Amino acid sequence: MSPRQNRVTPLGEILADPARGLFMGNRGCLHDAEGRLGRARWRHKAWICCLVEFRGQHRPIMAPGRYTELFFLDEAVALAAGHRPCAACRRADFRRFAKDFGATTAARLDALLHAARICPVSGRQRHHTAPAAALPDGSFVLLEDFPHLILGAAALPWRPAGYGAPRARPAGRVTVLTPAPTVAALAAGYRPVLHPSAGLPG
């Protein structure tokens, strides 16, 4: 069986790939009765990042009329794509993130995050630039048109199944994929869960 189109990249794109990843997400119902994605890439502003297992609950993937289950390699990818921790299955993480984000309610956080992640004219992911040396660990940048995770002195290329061999953290200004207020939350101390392939920077 071919993989479903429900794997999210750091660029916010949704592709088909057999690698599931560590986290699941939700932007609303994006698929039809046959499990195929339409043109919409979100139905509400609450883009969340959830546990793949929670209290033994089970649900069919892409059931008709239900929300579309999205999957991320790890939490850093989810944050880069514009998601935030779920306030239900990841309540402690959500509280930490909201505190570091500077929002007092989920609705306020979602409104601020949506404005930072999506261009209202094109509907595409917003990017911004920043000095690479100032970026906190867990940020995603675009190097040679490809997403890389910033981790210590390294930049790790993203792949659906895991990170590739690290290269040196770039110098100068770079294009940042992670929304600016999320980068601020990372700088304030929030630590996303990373895939084991990230390892430790050399």
Side-chain angles (χ1 to χ4, degrees):
M1 181 178 179
S2 300
R4 296 178 182 270
Q5 186 182 355
N6 59 5
R7 276 58 172 170
V8 182
T9 79
L11 288 160
E13 299 165 346
I14 305 175
L15 50 79
D17 192 275
R20 185 176 73 168
L22 302 182
F23 289 92
M24 186 185 78
N26 175 10
R27 300 179 187 175
C29 184
L30 311 179
H31 62 278
D32 62 17
E34 281 71 47
R36 299 170 301 196
L37 261 62
R39 296 182 61 183
R41 289 297 178 263
W42 71 86
R43 295 295 186 185
H44 50 62
K45 295 180 180 179
W47 295 19
I48 59 176
C49 174
C50 302
L51 300 174
V52 293
E53 296 181 11
F54 182 61
R55 296 179 179 175
Q57 297 176 10
H58 297 277
R59 53 182 290 129
I61 300 297
M62 288 186 168
R66 305 292 298 276
Y67 72 76
T68 302
E69 296 83 358
L70 304 173
F71 294 93
F72 314 94
L73 174 67
D74 61 16
E75 189 177 11
V77 171
L79 295 180
H83 290 246
R84 51 88 171 165
C86 175
C89 67
R90 302 184 60 208
R91 189 158 187 80
D93 291 333
F94 168 78
R95 287 175 172 169
R96 283 191 291 269
F97 183 79
K99 177 179 177 293
D100 292 331
F101 193 95
T104 56
T105 67
R108 178 61 175 161
L109 192 162
D110 291 335
L112 292 171
L113 191 51
H114 196 72
R117 70 191 168 209
I118 295 295
C119 173
V121 176
S122 67
R124 302 185 68 180
Q125 184 188 43
R126 282 189 189 273
H127 300 158
H128 61 283
T129 63
L135 289 173
D137 287 355
S139 303
F140 261 95
V141 301
L142 201 61
L143 301 178
E144 299 172 357
D145 296 324
F146 205 80
H148 285 68
L149 172 72
I150 293 296
L151 188 61
L156 283 66
W158 169 88
R159 298 288 187 276
Y163 294 102
R167 57 186 289 182
R169 181 190 284 241
R173 297 188 71 86
V174 291
T175 298
V176 184
L177 305 181
T178 308
T182 301
V183 171
L186 295 173
Y190 187 79
R191 294 291 178 264
V193 176
L194 302 179
H195 190 266
S197 62
L200 294 173

mmCIF file of all heavy atoms in Angstrom, residues 113-152:
data_model
loop_
_atom_site.group_PDB
_atom_site.id
_atom_site.type_symbol
_atom_site.label_atom_id
_atom_site.label_comp_id
_atom_site.label_asym_id
_atom_site.label_seq_id
_atom_site.Cartn_x
_atom_site.Cartn_y
_atom_site.Cartn_z
ATOM 1 N N LEU A 113 0.651 33.036 16.317
ATOM 2 C CA LEU A 113 1.439 32.091 15.537
ATOM 3 C C LEU A 113 0.956 32.033 14.094
ATOM 4 O O LEU A 113 1.764 31.987 13.157
ATOM 5 C CB LEU A 113 1.370 30.711 16.182
ATOM 6 C CG LEU A 113 2.333 29.640 15.668
ATOM 7 C CD1 LEU A 113 3.765 30.147 15.654
ATOM 8 C CD2 LEU A 113 2.223 28.392 16.527
ATOM 9 N N HIS A 114 -0.359 32.086 13.883
ATOM 10 C CA HIS A 114 -0.884 32.029 12.523
ATOM 11 C C HIS A 114 -0.441 33.243 11.717
ATOM 12 O O HIS A 114 -0.072 33.121 10.540
ATOM 13 C CB HIS A 114 -2.414 31.935 12.542
ATOM 14 C CG HIS A 114 -2.990 31.494 11.228
ATOM 15 N ND1 HIS A 114 -2.877 30.207 10.760
ATOM 16 C CD2 HIS A 114 -3.674 32.179 10.275
ATOM 17 C CE1 HIS A 114 -3.464 30.107 9.577
ATOM 18 N NE2 HIS A 114 -3.947 31.291 9.255
ATOM 19 N N ALA A 115 -0.428 34.405 12.358
ATOM 20 C CA ALA A 115 0.016 35.614 11.669
ATOM 21 C C ALA A 115 1.493 35.538 11.303
ATOM 22 O O ALA A 115 1.925 36.109 10.288
ATOM 23 C CB ALA A 115 -0.247 36.839 12.543
ATOM 24 N N ALA A 116 2.272 34.820 12.107
ATOM 25 C CA ALA A 116 3.715 34.728 11.870
ATOM 26 C C ALA A 116 4.087 33.636 10.881
ATOM 27 O O ALA A 116 5.152 33.687 10.267
ATOM 28 C CB ALA A 116 4.436 34.475 13.195
ATOM 29 N N ARG A 117 3.220 32.638 10.695
ATOM 30 C CA ARG A 117 3.611 31.485 9.875
ATOM 31 C C ARG A 117 3.048 31.539 8.457
ATOM 32 O O ARG A 117 3.562 30.871 7.556
ATOM 33 C CB ARG A 117 3.168 30.182 10.547
ATOM 34 C CG ARG A 117 1.669 29.953 10.557
ATOM 35 C CD ARG A 117 1.263 28.800 11.443
ATOM 36 N NE ARG A 117 -0.183 28.789 11.649
ATOM 37 C CZ ARG A 117 -0.780 28.319 12.730
ATOM 38 N NH1 ARG A 117 -0.063 27.805 13.719
ATOM 39 N NH2 ARG A 117 -2.092 28.349 12.837
ATOM 40 N N ILE A 118 1.981 32.305 8.224
ATOM 41 C CA ILE A 118 1.301 32.289 6.941
ATOM 42 C C ILE A 118 1.210 33.693 6.346
ATOM 43 O O ILE A 118 0.808 34.637 7.028
ATOM 44 C CB ILE A 118 -0.122 31.706 7.074
ATOM 45 C CG1 ILE A 118 -0.058 30.232 7.491
ATOM 46 C CG2 ILE A 118 -0.904 31.843 5.773
ATOM 47 C CD1 ILE A 118 0.574 29.322 6.457
ATOM 48 N N CYS A 119 1.579 33.821 5.062
ATOM 49 C CA CYS A 119 1.388 35.075 4.346
ATOM 50 C C CYS A 119 -0.080 35.194 3.959
ATOM 51 O O CYS A 119 -0.619 34.297 3.295
ATOM 52 C CB CYS A 119 2.262 35.104 3.099
ATOM 53 S SG CYS A 119 1.959 36.530 2.030
ATOM 54 N N PRO A 120 -0.778 36.275 4.365
ATOM 55 C CA PRO A 120 -2.216 36.366 4.076
ATOM 56 C C PRO A 120 -2.542 36.493 2.592
ATOM 57 O O PRO A 120 -3.658 36.186 2.176
ATOM 58 C CB PRO A 120 -2.643 37.625 4.847
ATOM 59 C CG PRO A 120 -1.397 38.429 4.979
ATOM 60 C CD PRO A 120 -0.283 37.431 5.109
ATOM 61 N N VAL A 121 -1.589 36.932 1.777
ATOM 62 C CA VAL A 121 -1.842 37.103 0.344
ATOM 63 C C VAL A 121 -1.669 35.789 -0.404
ATOM 64 O O VAL A 121 -2.560 35.332 -1.124
ATOM 65 C CB VAL A 121 -0.907 38.181 -0.245
ATOM 66 C CG1 VAL A 121 -1.121 38.285 -1.761
ATOM 67 C CG2 VAL A 121 -1.164 39.522 0.418
ATOM 68 N N SER A 122 -0.510 35.144 -0.200
ATOM 69 C CA SER A 122 -0.215 33.907 -0.935
ATOM 70 C C SER A 122 -0.727 32.657 -0.232
ATOM 71 O O SER A 122 -0.927 31.615 -0.852
ATOM 72 C CB SER A 122 1.287 33.769 -1.156
ATOM 73 O OG SER A 122 1.951 33.569 0.080
ATOM 74 N N GLY A 123 -0.928 32.731 1.103
ATOM 75 C CA GLY A 123 -1.310 31.561 1.863
ATOM 76 C C GLY A 123 -0.160 30.599 2.097
ATOM 77 O O GLY A 123 -0.354 29.505 2.607
ATOM 78 N N ARG A 124 1.052 31.021 1.743
ATOM 79 C CA ARG A 124 2.225 30.164 1.891
ATOM 80 C C ARG A 124 2.975 30.491 3.173
ATOM 81 O O ARG A 124 2.757 31.521 3.806
ATOM 82 C CB ARG A 124 3.139 30.320 0.678
ATOM 83 C CG ARG A 124 2.454 29.983 -0.637
ATOM 84 C CD ARG A 124 3.405 30.039 -1.800
ATOM 85 N NE ARG A 124 4.393 28.975 -1.727
ATOM 86 C CZ ARG A 124 5.356 28.790 -2.627
ATOM 87 N NH1 ARG A 124 5.464 29.614 -3.652
ATOM 88 N NH2 ARG A 124 6.223 27.808 -2.481
ATOM 89 N N GLN A 125 3.893 29.597 3.517
ATOM 90 C CA GLN A 125 4.653 29.762 4.750
ATOM 91 C C GLN A 125 5.499 31.035 4.697
ATOM 92 O O GLN A 125 6.147 31.324 3.691
ATOM 93 C CB GLN A 125 5.567 28.552 4.964
ATOM 94 C CG GLN A 125 6.352 28.569 6.278
ATOM 95 C CD GLN A 125 7.393 27.456 6.344
ATOM 96 O OE1 GLN A 125 8.092 27.212 5.360
ATOM 97 N NE2 GLN A 125 7.489 26.801 7.476
ATOM 98 N N ARG A 126 5.464 31.792 5.785
ATOM 99 C CA ARG A 126 6.336 32.961 5.911
ATOM 100 C C ARG A 126 7.745 32.516 6.295
ATOM 101 O O ARG A 126 7.915 31.600 7.094
ATOM 102 C CB ARG A 126 5.831 33.890 7.021
ATOM 103 C CG ARG A 126 4.671 34.770 6.679
ATOM 104 C CD ARG A 126 4.462 35.754 7.824
ATOM 105 N NE ARG A 126 3.260 36.532 7.713
ATOM 106 C CZ ARG A 126 3.176 37.686 7.035
ATOM 107 N NH1 ARG A 126 4.234 38.164 6.413
ATOM 108 N NH2 ARG A 126 2.033 38.346 6.995
ATOM 109 N N HIS A 127 8.728 33.203 5.764
ATOM 110 C CA HIS A 127 10.108 33.030 6.185
ATOM 111 C C HIS A 127 10.629 34.381 6.646
ATOM 112 O O HIS A 127 10.082 35.423 6.287
ATOM 113 C CB HIS A 127 10.978 32.509 5.041
ATOM 114 C CG HIS A 127 10.534 31.194 4.494
ATOM 115 N ND1 HIS A 127 10.852 30.749 3.228
ATOM 116 C CD2 HIS A 127 9.771 30.213 5.036
ATOM 117 C CE1 HIS A 127 10.329 29.560 3.011
ATOM 118 N NE2 HIS A 127 9.661 29.212 4.098
ATOM 119 N N HIS A 128 11.676 34.385 7.453
ATOM 120 C CA HIS A 128 12.331 35.628 7.835
ATOM 121 C C HIS A 128 13.828 35.377 7.849
ATOM 122 O O HIS A 128 14.277 34.245 7.657
ATOM 123 C CB HIS A 128 11.831 36.118 9.200
ATOM 124 C CG HIS A 128 12.088 35.192 10.341
ATOM 125 N ND1 HIS A 128 11.345 34.044 10.571
ATOM 126 C CD2 HIS A 128 13.011 35.233 11.321
ATOM 127 C CE1 HIS A 128 11.790 33.432 11.643
ATOM 128 N NE2 HIS A 128 12.810 34.113 12.113
ATOM 129 N N THR A 129 14.606 36.418 8.005
ATOM 130 C CA THR A 129 16.053 36.253 8.043
ATOM 131 C C THR A 129 16.572 36.662 9.411
ATOM 132 O O THR A 129 15.958 37.476 10.111
ATOM 133 C CB THR A 129 16.756 37.089 6.956
ATOM 134 O OG1 THR A 129 16.512 38.480 7.187
ATOM 135 C CG2 THR A 129 16.245 36.701 5.576
ATOM 136 N N ALA A 130 17.705 36.082 9.777
ATOM 137 C CA ALA A 130 18.330 36.366 11.073
ATOM 138 C C ALA A 130 19.790 35.958 11.006
ATOM 139 O O ALA A 130 20.171 35.120 10.173
ATOM 140 C CB ALA A 130 17.618 35.606 12.195
ATOM 141 N N PRO A 131 20.633 36.523 11.875
ATOM 142 C CA PRO A 131 22.026 36.061 11.935
ATOM 143 C C PRO A 131 22.078 34.613 12.413
ATOM 144 O O PRO A 131 21.499 34.274 13.450
ATOM 145 C CB PRO A 131 22.673 37.015 12.948
ATOM 146 C CG PRO A 131 21.739 38.175 13.069
ATOM 147 C CD PRO A 131 20.370 37.634 12.803
ATOM 148 N N ALA A 132 22.745 33.752 11.676
ATOM 149 C CA ALA A 132 22.808 32.335 12.038
ATOM 150 C C ALA A 132 23.408 32.135 13.419
ATOM 151 O O ALA A 132 22.977 31.249 14.171
ATOM 152 C CB ALA A 132 23.605 31.563 10.995
ATOM 153 N N ALA A 133 24.388 32.941 13.771
ATOM 154 C CA ALA A 133 25.062 32.778 15.059
ATOM 155 C C ALA A 133 24.134 33.020 16.233
ATOM 156 O O ALA A 133 24.379 32.510 17.335
ATOM 157 C CB ALA A 133 26.262 33.730 15.146
ATOM 158 N N ALA A 134 23.048 33.786 16.021
ATOM 159 C CA ALA A 134 22.145 34.134 17.113
ATOM 160 C C ALA A 134 20.978 33.164 17.261
ATOM 161 O O ALA A 134 20.206 33.272 18.224
ATOM 162 C CB ALA A 134 21.599 35.551 16.905
ATOM 163 N N LEU A 135 20.840 32.205 16.353
ATOM 164 C CA LEU A 135 19.675 31.314 16.386
ATOM 165 C C LEU A 135 19.823 30.263 17.485
ATOM 166 O O LEU A 135 20.886 29.644 17.633
ATOM 167 C CB LEU A 135 19.503 30.620 15.039
ATOM 168 C CG LEU A 135 19.031 31.501 13.890
ATOM 169 C CD1 LEU A 135 19.082 30.724 12.588
ATOM 170 C CD2 LEU A 135 17.624 32.031 14.155
ATOM 171 N N PRO A 136 18.753 30.006 18.239
ATOM 172 C CA PRO A 136 18.802 28.955 19.265
ATOM 173 C C PRO A 136 18.713 27.570 18.652
ATOM 174 O O PRO A 136 18.208 27.397 17.532
ATOM 175 C CB PRO A 136 17.571 29.261 20.121
ATOM 176 C CG PRO A 136 16.608 29.895 19.162
ATOM 177 C CD PRO A 136 17.454 30.707 18.221
ATOM 178 N N ASP A 137 19.190 26.584 19.384
ATOM 179 C CA ASP A 137 19.047 25.200 18.955
ATOM 180 C C ASP A 137 17.571 24.880 18.733
ATOM 181 O O ASP A 137 16.697 25.335 19.482
ATOM 182 C CB ASP A 137 19.613 24.254 20.011
ATOM 183 C CG ASP A 137 21.135 24.276 20.062
ATOM 184 O OD1 ASP A 137 21.751 24.955 19.226
ATOM 185 O OD2 ASP A 137 21.694 23.599 20.948
ATOM 186 N N GLY A 138 17.306 24.073 17.712
ATOM 187 C CA GLY A 138 15.931 23.695 17.401
ATOM 188 C C GLY A 138 15.325 24.520 16.289
ATOM 189 O O GLY A 138 14.238 24.187 15.802
ATOM 190 N N SER A 139 15.999 25.588 15.871
ATOM 191 C CA SER A 139 15.531 26.400 14.746
ATOM 192 C C SER A 139 15.850 25.692 13.431
ATOM 193 O O SER A 139 16.830 24.948 13.326
ATOM 194 C CB SER A 139 16.212 27.765 14.745
ATOM 195 O OG SER A 139 16.016 28.459 15.948
ATOM 196 N N PHE A 140 15.031 25.947 12.425
ATOM 197 C CA PHE A 140 15.284 25.433 11.079
ATOM 198 C C PHE A 140 15.619 26.582 10.144
ATOM 199 O O PHE A 140 14.978 27.635 10.184
ATOM 200 C CB PHE A 140 14.073 24.682 10.526
ATOM 201 C CG PHE A 140 14.189 23.188 10.655
ATOM 202 C CD1 PHE A 140 13.633 22.540 11.745
ATOM 203 C CD2 PHE A 140 14.843 22.434 9.692
ATOM 204 C CE1 PHE A 140 13.739 21.161 11.873
ATOM 205 C CE2 PHE A 140 14.950 21.057 9.817
ATOM 206 C CZ PHE A 140 14.400 20.413 10.903
ATOM 207 N N VAL A 141 16.632 26.365 9.309
ATOM 208 C CA VAL A 141 17.035 27.362 8.325
ATOM 209 C C VAL A 141 17.072 26.705 6.950
ATOM 210 O O VAL A 141 17.079 25.473 6.828
ATOM 211 C CB VAL A 141 18.414 27.971 8.661
ATOM 212 C CG1 VAL A 141 18.384 28.632 10.031
ATOM 213 C CG2 VAL A 141 19.515 26.910 8.605
ATOM 214 N N LEU A 142 17.107 27.551 5.935
ATOM 215 C CA LEU A 142 17.183 27.068 4.557
ATOM 216 C C LEU A 142 18.603 27.300 4.056
ATOM 217 O O LEU A 142 19.062 28.438 3.967
ATOM 218 C CB LEU A 142 16.176 27.832 3.693
ATOM 219 C CG LEU A 142 15.736 27.203 2.379
ATOM 220 C CD1 LEU A 142 15.058 25.856 2.627
ATOM 221 C CD2 LEU A 142 14.793 28.137 1.639
ATOM 222 N N LEU A 143 19.303 26.218 3.747
ATOM 223 C CA LEU A 143 20.657 26.284 3.217
ATOM 224 C C LEU A 143 20.683 25.568 1.873
ATOM 225 O O LEU A 143 20.303 24.395 1.802
ATOM 226 C CB LEU A 143 21.653 25.626 4.173
ATOM 227 C CG LEU A 143 21.736 26.200 5.598
ATOM 228 C CD1 LEU A 143 22.736 25.406 6.424
ATOM 229 C CD2 LEU A 143 22.125 27.676 5.556
ATOM 230 N N GLU A 144 21.080 26.298 0.835
ATOM 231 C CA GLU A 144 21.099 25.722 -0.511
ATOM 232 C C GLU A 144 19.733 25.118 -0.849
ATOM 233 O O GLU A 144 19.626 24.018 -1.395
ATOM 234 C CB GLU A 144 22.227 24.691 -0.637
ATOM 235 C CG GLU A 144 23.612 25.287 -0.414
ATOM 236 C CD GLU A 144 24.709 24.236 -0.353
ATOM 237 O OE1 GLU A 144 24.380 23.021 -0.436
ATOM 238 O OE2 GLU A 144 25.881 24.621 -0.219
ATOM 239 N N ASP A 145 18.690 25.867 -0.483
ATOM 240 C CA ASP A 145 17.294 25.493 -0.777
ATOM 241 C C ASP A 145 16.843 24.221 -0.078
ATOM 242 O O ASP A 145 15.885 23.570 -0.521
ATOM 243 C CB ASP A 145 17.068 25.340 -2.292
ATOM 244 C CG ASP A 145 17.273 26.640 -3.044
ATOM 245 O OD1 ASP A 145 16.922 27.699 -2.494
ATOM 246 O OD2 ASP A 145 17.799 26.604 -4.169
ATOM 247 N N PHE A 146 17.508 23.864 1.025
ATOM 248 C CA PHE A 146 17.120 22.652 1.739
ATOM 249 C C PHE A 146 17.076 22.925 3.237
ATOM 250 O O PHE A 146 17.929 23.630 3.772
ATOM 251 C CB PHE A 146 18.099 21.511 1.444
ATOM 252 C CG PHE A 146 17.487 20.158 1.626
ATOM 253 C CD1 PHE A 146 16.694 19.618 0.637
ATOM 254 C CD2 PHE A 146 17.672 19.450 2.797
ATOM 255 C CE1 PHE A 146 16.102 18.368 0.815
ATOM 256 C CE2 PHE A 146 17.093 18.219 2.982
ATOM 257 C CZ PHE A 146 16.302 17.676 1.985
ATOM 258 N N PRO A 147 16.054 22.371 3.956
ATOM 259 C CA PRO A 147 15.926 22.634 5.395
ATOM 260 C C PRO A 147 17.045 21.995 6.208
ATOM 261 O O PRO A 147 17.398 20.827 6.000
ATOM 262 C CB PRO A 147 14.573 22.003 5.761
ATOM 263 C CG PRO A 147 13.883 21.741 4.476
ATOM 264 C CD PRO A 147 14.943 21.549 3.453
ATOM 265 N N HIS A 148 17.581 22.761 7.146
ATOM 266 C CA HIS A 148 18.613 22.265 8.063
ATOM 267 C C HIS A 148 18.248 22.665 9.491
ATOM 268 O O HIS A 148 17.797 23.792 9.737
ATOM 269 C CB HIS A 148 19.983 22.871 7.724
ATOM 270 C CG HIS A 148 20.633 22.291 6.518
ATOM 271 N ND1 HIS A 148 20.142 22.467 5.237
ATOM 272 C CD2 HIS A 148 21.767 21.527 6.390
ATOM 273 C CE1 HIS A 148 20.941 21.845 4.374
ATOM 274 N NE2 HIS A 148 21.925 21.268 5.047
ATOM 275 N N LEU A 149 18.472 21.743 10.412
ATOM 276 C CA LEU A 149 18.253 21.984 11.832
ATOM 277 C C LEU A 149 19.512 22.583 12.448
ATOM 278 O O LEU A 149 20.611 22.046 12.273
ATOM 279 C CB LEU A 149 17.916 20.666 12.543
ATOM 280 C CG LEU A 149 17.838 20.702 14.073
ATOM 281 C CD1 LEU A 149 16.582 21.438 14.525
ATOM 282 C CD2 LEU A 149 17.875 19.283 14.635
ATOM 283 N N ILE A 150 19.351 23.679 13.175
ATOM 284 C CA ILE A 150 20.466 24.279 13.893
ATOM 285 C C ILE A 150 20.599 23.590 15.248
ATOM 286 O O ILE A 150 19.645 23.502 16.017
ATOM 287 C CB ILE A 150 20.245 25.787 14.100
ATOM 288 C CG1 ILE A 150 20.274 26.517 12.757
ATOM 289 C CG2 ILE A 150 21.282 26.373 15.054
ATOM 290 C CD1 ILE A 150 21.608 26.465 12.040
ATOM 291 N N LEU A 151 21.810 23.075 15.505
ATOM 292 C CA LEU A 151 22.061 22.371 16.753
ATOM 293 C C LEU A 151 23.527 22.561 17.135
ATOM 294 O O LEU A 151 24.422 21.993 16.494
ATOM 295 C CB LEU A 151 21.727 20.880 16.607
ATOM 296 C CG LEU A 151 21.768 20.035 17.879
ATOM 297 C CD1 LEU A 151 20.759 20.534 18.900
ATOM 298 C CD2 LEU A 151 21.504 18.568 17.550
ATOM 299 N N GLY A 152 23.767 23.380 18.138
ATOM 300 C CA GLY A 152 25.128 23.678 18.534
ATOM 301 C C GLY A 152 25.885 24.349 17.401
ATOM 302 O O GLY A 152 25.408 25.302 16.792
#
